[in-house]
């Protein structure tokens, strides 16, 4: 059933026209000279700090957050905010320690970093891994979840047309290059924040009304905390003999204190610091601009749970008390990922259009950023190096655009019938789980490459392949091979007749053993690898503004954890 009226469509069309027109203006303004690869892929030197920060957030906050994290808010509560708040801490580390190394060594892509620090074999292996990960996990899941959410507003039979529409919109933005993406993302992030806050406001008023407290947002939040106290704790207790399967499933996703020692750090530091999709925004800027932009993104990240998680908790409270039955359980089957759309269905006319624009902004920004990263890696790290070494700047830009089309077409094909089973896993968990097969190995290779001069290329190759194998082992075979409880882990029943180790614990041990493997191999090589980066303390010195931002972020995260521990 179509839940939108004429006013909603007018608001959405105005958003579409505004973003498209601004993107086209940015593109034409740059078109005074021929578009070169550094302009197309990096917007070299043209993004301001606020554009970098906004673009990072717009590319990160997408369907997997709006839909997947709201769904996790419904199931797990505020504990899932660990991804957002630890992201803020990870961004500080990236801004202070990672970015100076990238910029000093003129790094434009992550495979280029691996070639510069190690060798071409490492670079090629990771380029292929990244392309598969970005297309089959990230791009496809963003498109699927986004189309699923919007189709619940527009009508049940609209899923496939929306898949096509989102893809075309994202392609239109992406073909203009990183500068167009970066500056249109400023509009996108403004729309998604405003629309997201409106949705959260409505969610709290619905809770307030449900408990007979009028339309008071504060009362609604207080009632929500009182009625769903179990949803306002950051740490899940380790399951015991009498723990229900529901609580075991929560622990499998967010394994209490254990995840803070490795898994959650690996997820965030790899995503924000070793990921072409994110770092690309800052790689074309000077250090001061890049660092300030990244810290600005960290500050924004702290407030994202208000937008992407709180509506899910509100939906849980309403469902628990007899509301949203049809929206949350169509056909009698409860679907947590319907939480955000269920709240949207109660918005008044006009605000539904704004919220749909916010959701679309998040989806399109992420699709565009991901497609640009796929294009960058394939064009600069595979096509230019191994297929046509003498390609002109014009030819490389053309190949980049063709790659964008190809990636989108493949993603559409995978999304069409949910070939990867994203809907069954739960969107946010699907992305985190399958990204986790590569994250430990990637982060191990990067962190040793940054800060240990003895790390060798042979160790990096072994780390990538061995780390991936270890992740597969821990995630799929360890309980069957070694038992359900060892000194390293405890496996828990997963509700499907088998036993499973929490994937964040798997990531931690995969990382630890990958580091040990790389260290052992590197110790057989020279004391200082000739390709090691030169590092000095002055690279990491912060300006007063950056120092102030860092202190504010640390204080805010501390206060939040003290409140909800």
């Amino acid at each position: 059933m179509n839940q939108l009226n004429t006013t909603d469509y007018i608001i959405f069309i105005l958003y579409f026209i505004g973003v498209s027109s601004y993107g086209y203006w940015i593109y034409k303004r740059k078109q005074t000279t021929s578009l070169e690869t550094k302009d197309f892929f990096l917007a070299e030197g043209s993004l301001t700090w606020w554009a970098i920060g906004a673009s990072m957030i717009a590319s990160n906050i997408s369907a997997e957050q709006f839909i997947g994290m709201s769904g996790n808010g419904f199931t797990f509560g505020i504990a899932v905010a660990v991804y957002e708040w630890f992201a803020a801490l990870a961004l500080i580390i990236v801004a202070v320690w990672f970015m100076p190394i990238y910029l000093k060594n003129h790094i434009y892509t992550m495979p280029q970093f691996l070639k510069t620090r190690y060798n071409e074999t490492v670079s090629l292996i990771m380029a292929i891994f990244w392309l598969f990960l970005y297309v089959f996990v990230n791009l496809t899941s963003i498109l699927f979840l986004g189309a699923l959410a919007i189709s619940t507003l527009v009508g049940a039979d609209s899923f496939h047309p929306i898949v096509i529409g989102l893809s075309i919109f994202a392609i239109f933005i992406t073909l203009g290059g990183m500068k167009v993406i970066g500056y249109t993302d400023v509009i996108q992030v403004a729309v998604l924040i405003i629309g997201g806050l409106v949705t959260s406001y409505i969610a709290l008023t619905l809770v307030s009304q449900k408990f007979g407290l009028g339309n008071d947002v504060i009362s609604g939040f207080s009632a929500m905390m009182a009625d769903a106290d179990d949803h306002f704790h950051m740490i899940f207790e380790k399951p015991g003999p009498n723990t229900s399967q529901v609580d075991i499933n929560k622990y499998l996703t967010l394994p209490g204190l254990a995840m803070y020692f490795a898994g959650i750090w690996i997820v965030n530091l790899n995503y924000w610091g070793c990921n072409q999709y994110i770092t690309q925004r800052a790689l074309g800027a000077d250090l001061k601009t890049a660092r300030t932009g990244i810290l600005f993104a960290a500050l924004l990240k702290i407030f994202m749970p208000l937008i992407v998680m709180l509506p899910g908790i509100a939906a849980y409270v309403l469902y628990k008390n007899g509301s949203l039955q049809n929206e949350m359980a169509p056909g009698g089957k409860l679907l947590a990922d319907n939480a955000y759309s269920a709240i949207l269905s109660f918005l008044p006319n006009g605000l539904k259009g704004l919220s749909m624009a916010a959701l679309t902004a998040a989806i399109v920004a992420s699709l565009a950023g991901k497609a640009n990263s796929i294009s960058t890696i394939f064009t600069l790290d595979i096509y230019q190096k191994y297929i046509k070494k003498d390609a002109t700047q014009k030819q490389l830009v053309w190949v980049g655009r063709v790659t964008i089309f190809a990636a989108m077409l493949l993603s559409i094909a995978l999304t069409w019938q949910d070939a990867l089973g994203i809907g069954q896993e739960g969107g946010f968990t699907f992305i985190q789980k399958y990204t986790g097969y590569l994250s430990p190995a990637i982060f191990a290779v990067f962190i040793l490459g940054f800060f240990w001069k003895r790390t060798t290329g042979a160790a990096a190759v072994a780390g990538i392949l061995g780390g991936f194998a270890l992740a597969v082992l821990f995630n799929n075979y360890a309980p069957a091979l070694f038992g359900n409880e060892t000194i390293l882990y405890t496996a828990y029943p997963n509700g499907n007749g088998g036993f499973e180790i929490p994937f964040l614990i798997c990531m931690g041990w995969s990382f630890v053993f990958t580091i040990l493997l790389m260290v052992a191999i590197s110790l057989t090589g020279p004391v200082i690898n000739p390709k090691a980066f030169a590092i000095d303390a002055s690279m990491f010195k912060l300006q007063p503004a950056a120092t102030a931002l860092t202190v504010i972020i640390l204080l805010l995260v501390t206060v939040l954890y003290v409140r909800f521990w």
Side-chain angles (χ1 to χ4, degrees):
M1 178 179 176
N2 193 334
Q3 301 180 30
L4 305 179
N5 71 355
T6 304
T7 305
D8 296 313
Y9 282 115
I10 290 172
I11 290 173
F12 180 79
I13 290 169
L14 287 175
Y15 149 75
F16 177 83
I17 293 172
V19 172
S20 301
S21 299
Y22 183 60
Y24 184 72
W25 178 73
I26 292 290
Y27 174 72
K28 293 300 289 185
R29 192 177 67 168
K30 181 66 183 174
Q31 214 182 23
T32 54
T33 60
S34 61
L35 193 62
E36 296 187 349
T37 53
K38 289 181 182 178
D39 294 316
F40 183 78
F41 296 114
L42 295 169
E44 187 178 21
S46 62
L47 294 183
T48 60
W49 64 267
W50 46 268
I52 290 171
S55 185
M56 292 176 76
I57 294 299
S59 295
N60 167 247
I61 302 297
S62 184
E64 73 265 30
Q65 267 78 20
F66 271 107
I67 308 307
M69 190 168 277
S70 283
N72 275 11
F74 182 97
T75 304
F76 306 115
I78 200 171
V80 76
V82 64
Y83 283 103
E84 304 299 295
W85 294 338
F86 265 65
L89 302 181
L91 280 164
I92 293 174
I93 294 171
V94 173
V96 176
W97 285 289
F98 290 13
M99 198 51 57
I101 297 174
Y102 285 140
L103 296 182
K104 183 176 181 180
N105 292 280
H106 307 289
I107 301 299
Y108 300 121
T109 71
M110 297 300 97
Q112 181 203 352
F113 167 86
L114 296 174
K115 178 187 175 183
T116 304
R117 176 58 181 85
Y118 296 114
N119 55 51
E120 286 202 15
T121 302
V122 179
S123 175
L124 179 60
I125 291 171
M126 278 315 308
I128 294 170
F129 270 138
W130 270 313
L131 288 175
F132 272 91
L133 181 67
Y134 288 172
V135 174
F136 286 92
V137 176
N138 298 106
L139 197 67
T140 302
S141 60
I142 292 167
L143 187 57
F144 174 83
L145 292 170
L148 185 67
I150 295 175
S151 66
T152 61
L153 291 173
V154 177
D157 297 328
S158 60
F159 176 81
H160 294 113
I162 289 170
V163 167
I164 300 296
L166 288 172
S167 300
I168 292 172
F169 193 2
I171 287 171
F172 180 84
I173 296 296
T174 313
L175 292 181
M178 181 50 70
K179 185 174 183 180
V180 174
I181 294 171
Y183 280 107
T184 54
D185 276 353
V186 176
I187 298 178
Q188 308 275 46
V189 81
V191 172
L192 74 87
I193 287 174
I194 293 169
L197 288 174
V198 166
T199 304
S200 295
Y201 175 86
I202 296 297
L204 291 175
T205 60
L206 288 172
V207 173
S208 182
Q209 291 168 7
K210 184 68 179 179
F211 287 90
L213 302 172
N215 293 318
D216 185 7
V217 174
I218 303 300
S219 298
F221 186 76
S222 299
M224 191 167 68
M225 289 187 66
D227 189 70
D229 177 69
D230 61 322
H231 273 51
F232 285 90
H233 296 285
M234 294 298 299
I235 305 296
F236 292 136
E237 293 184 5
K238 191 173 182 178
N242 299 318
T243 304
S244 69
Q245 188 61 53
V246 171
D247 288 333
I248 290 174
N249 290 342
K250 290 180 179 180
Y251 189 84
L252 284 171
T253 303
L254 297 168
L257 283 172
M259 68 179 174
Y260 289 88
F261 292 101
I264 202 67
W265 285 106
I266 296 166
V267 168
N268 279 294
L269 286 170
N270 175 67
Y271 180 86
W272 294 102
C274 313
N275 182 354
Q276 182 71 28
Y277 173 51
I278 293 298
T279 56
Q280 193 161 341
R281 277 114 182 102
L283 292 178
D286 62 84
L287 179 58
K288 181 180 178 182
T289 302
R291 184 174 271 164
T292 306
I294 294 170
L295 291 174
F296 176 54
L299 187 62
L300 292 176
K301 201 73 174 129
I302 292 174
F303 301 101
M304 287 301 110
L306 288 174
I307 295 171
V308 299
M309 181 198 65
L310 191 146
I313 301 177
Y316 169 79
V317 171
L318 292 167
Y319 179 79
K320 175 185 172 184
N321 288 278
S323 299
L324 305 183
Q325 302 300 308
N326 293 331
E327 292 82 1
M328 290 303 307
K333 182 180 179 181
L334 177 63
L335 298 172
D337 278 351
N338 283 358
Y340 196 83
S341 301
I343 296 296
L344 290 185
S345 67
F346 284 87
L347 265 63
N349 293 331
L351 288 182
K352 285 181 183 176
L354 177 62
S355 291
M356 190 172 80
L359 187 56
T360 304
I363 296 161
V364 169
S366 283
L367 287 173
K370 190 64 71 179
N372 185 271
S373 295
I374 292 166
S375 173
T376 302
I377 290 175
F378 177 79
T379 304
L380 300 185
D381 295 299
I382 295 180
Y383 182 82
Q384 187 180 29
K385 289 181 181 177
Y386 303 103
I387 299 174
K388 191 173 177 60
K389 295 182 179 181
D390 60 346
T392 65
Q393 296 288 304
K394 185 177 180 179
Q395 287 173 330
L396 291 174
V397 172
W398 181 84
V399 169
R401 287 172 170 158
V402 171
T403 304
I404 290 166
F405 275 108
M408 280 295 185
L409 286 174
L410 180 55
S411 181
I412 290 170
L414 293 169
T415 300
W416 208 252
Q417 298 295 334
D418 190 18
L420 301 179
I422 300 167
Q424 299 172 14
E425 287 270 1
F428 190 73
T429 301
F430 173 85
I431 293 172
Q432 299 304 324
K433 184 174 182 178
Y434 288 99
T435 301
Y437 281 104
L438 288 177
S439 297
I442 296 171
F443 184 56
V445 169
F446 271 76
I447 200 71
L448 288 180
F450 283 142
F451 301 115
W452 195 41
K453 294 184 177 182
R454 192 162 184 168
T455 316
T456 64
V461 172
I464 291 170
L465 299 178
F468 177 70
L470 284 164
V472 172
L473 171 66
F474 277 111
N475 278 284
N476 297 286
Y477 302 110
L481 291 173
F482 309 117
N484 294 332
E485 188 165 357
T486 72
I487 193 172
L488 300 180
Y489 64 80
T490 300
Y492 300 95
N494 57 19
N496 297 318
F499 284 81
E500 187 176 324
I501 307 167
F503 66 84
L504 287 172
I505 303 298
C506 295
M507 289 178 66
W509 284 120
S510 299
F511 174 74
V512 168
F513 286 113
T514 302
I515 288 286
L516 292 175
L517 173 65
M518 292 181 64
V519 168
I521 293 173
S522 295
L523 288 175
T524 64
V527 175
I528 296 180
N529 190 310
K531 288 197 166 188
F533 294 132
I535 295 177
D536 61 80
S538 64
M539 294 169 57
F540 309 117
K541 185 178 180 181
L542 291 178
Q543 298 291 327
T547 302
L549 268 175
T550 300
V551 171
I552 291 169
I553 293 163
L554 292 172
L555 286 174
L556 286 172
V557 172
T558 301
V559 169
L560 288 166
Y561 258 86
V562 169
R563 175 63 184 85
F564 294 111
W565 182 262

